[in-house]
């Protein structure tokens, strides 16, 4: 049996449960695989890519802050990586050790949305404008959303990613607002938290929206928090108290990992086993 050598790069990685999820996925298909945690800063990225190419690795995951810069060093990219402008999964291919880049975050984001939620021709709000918000935006667009209101701490710095989306989707409407001191959100089918606010080790006892803002939302609004640790964030707890439907971030993480294993191996892992492993370690 061929042994796979895989890993994850980014910084910091101390909080990541990706190795646990991936290893459970490999085990579920009877695959002999190593999955190494390789903390890598932006300054060390080029050297790390050389190391991965020439030390027997079959592929690797990419997380912050490397998802955008890695895209400039790959030989090929898939459709999702092209429209998102960032990569989270790389497969090392052939004798030349070419780097083929993929974005499985979009797949994961979409797959976590229950099929009975209708987003066609509706508005969405996304909190944050980083790589995760791009994945969320494209996933929502593919689900039928036609306008998105973004909320950013620094509107000037957020112009580039928003303009990128405007170029890719000229028929859709994108607006950008200041995230600080939100008093009210426009009528939306779904509100996505794509910031780290609420994450364990990063303002875990805080939430990006006040109870007052949540109370003003239509009761049909869905609240989707991509933060997965803790499983039920303060934002989701408050939304549930208001009777709003919620989506936890863990499923997005699981589905993007599931898709990465398919890309690397051509085999389909058992996502239930991956979820059990994740829940045991949260």
């Amino acid at each position: 049996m061929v042994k796979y050598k895989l890993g994850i790069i980014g910084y910091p990685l101390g909080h990541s449960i990706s190795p646990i999820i991936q290893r459970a996925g490999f085990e579920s298909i009877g695959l002999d695989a190593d999955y190494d945690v390789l903390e890598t800063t932006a300054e060390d990225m080029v050297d790390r890519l050389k190391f991965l190419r020439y030390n027997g690795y079959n592929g690797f995951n990419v997380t912050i802050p490397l998802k955008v810069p890695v895209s400039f060093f790959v030989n090929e990219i898939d459709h999702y990586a092209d429209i998102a402008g960032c990569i989270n999964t790389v497969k090392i291919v052939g004798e030349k050790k070419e780097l083929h880049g993929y974005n499985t975050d979009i797949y994961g984001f979409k797959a976590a949305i229950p099929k009975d939620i209708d987003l066609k021709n509706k508005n969405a709000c996304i909190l944050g404008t980083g790589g995760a918000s791009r994945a969320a935006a494209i996933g929502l667009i593919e689900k039928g959303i036609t306008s998105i209101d973004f909320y950013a701490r620094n509107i000037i710095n957020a112009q580039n990613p928003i303009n990128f989306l405007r170029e890719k989707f000229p028929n859709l409407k994108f607006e950008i607002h200041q995230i600080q001191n939100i008093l009210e959100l426009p009528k939306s089918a779904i509100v996505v938290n794509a910031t780290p606010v609420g994450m364990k080790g990063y303002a875990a006892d805080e939430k990006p929206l006040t109870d007052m803002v949540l109370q003003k939302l239509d009761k049909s609004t869905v609240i989707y928090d991509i933060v997965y640790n803790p499983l039920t964030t303060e934002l989701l707890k408050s939304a549930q108290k208001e009777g709003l439907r919620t989506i936890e971030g863990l499923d997005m993480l699981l589905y993007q990992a599931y898709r990465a294993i398919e890309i690397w191996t051509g085999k389909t892992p058992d996502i239930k086993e991956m979820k059990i492993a994740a829940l045991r370690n949260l």
Side-chain angles (χ1 to χ4, degrees), residues 109 126-140 148 150-151 161-162 165 192-195 226 252:
F109 180 88
I126 298 178
L127 312 178
T129 53
S133 75
R134 288 194 197 185
I138 293 161
L140 291 172
I148 300 176
F150 287 92
Y151 291 80
I162 305 308
L165 288 170
V192 179
N193 176 34
T195 78
I226 70 165
M252 174 181 173

Side-chain angles (χ1 to χ4, degrees), residues 115-165:
K115 290 183 170 55
D116 66 316
I117 293 176
D118 180 17
L119 301 176
K120 290 178 182 174
N121 300 313
K122 294 180 181 177
N123 175 262
C125 290
I126 298 178
L127 312 178
T129 53
S133 75
R134 288 194 197 185
I138 293 161
L140 291 172
I141 291 165
E142 292 203 341
K143 284 283 191 177
I145 285 289
T146 51
S147 66
I148 300 176
D149 285 86
F150 287 92
Y151 291 80
R153 287 196 173 277
N154 188 318
I155 289 181
I156 294 172
N157 289 347
Q159 290 297 336
N160 282 344
I162 305 308
N163 287 336
F164 181 89
L165 288 170

Side-chain angles (χ1 to χ4, degrees), residues 1-6 31-35 56-58:
M1 182 186 292
V2 176
K3 178 159 185 168
Y4 280 78
K5 194 173 180 183
L6 303 155
L31 196 71
D32 188 9
D34 291 329
Y35 189 88
Y57 283 83
N58 302 95

Side-chain angles (χ1 to χ4, degrees), residues 47-87:
D47 287 339
R48 180 66 79 193
L49 294 179
K50 290 177 183 176
F51 171 82
L52 290 161
R53 288 180 68 200
Y54 299 113
N55 282 275
Y57 283 83
N58 302 95
F60 52 95
N61 286 128
V62 185
T63 189
I64 54 173
L66 307 179
K67 289 185 178 185
V68 174
V70 160
S71 65
F72 298 107
F73 292 89
V74 297
N75 301 93
E76 290 185 14
I77 56 175
D78 77 336
H79 170 67
Y80 278 157
D82 181 38
I83 57 177
C86 56
I87 286 167

Side-chain angles (χ1 to χ4, degrees), residues 165-183:
L165 288 170
R166 285 173 176 147
E167 289 174 11
K168 293 285 184 180
F169 304 99
N171 296 325
L172 276 62
K173 183 181 177 183
F174 303 101
E175 299 288 346
I176 185 164
H177 316 273
Q178 200 80 34
I179 198 169
Q180 294 91 330
N181 304 316
I182 297 172
L183 298 176

Side-chain angles (χ1 to χ4, degrees), residues 45 59 120 198 218 223 273:
M45 185 190 71
K120 290 178 182 174
D218 188 283
I223 306 296
E273 291 298 318

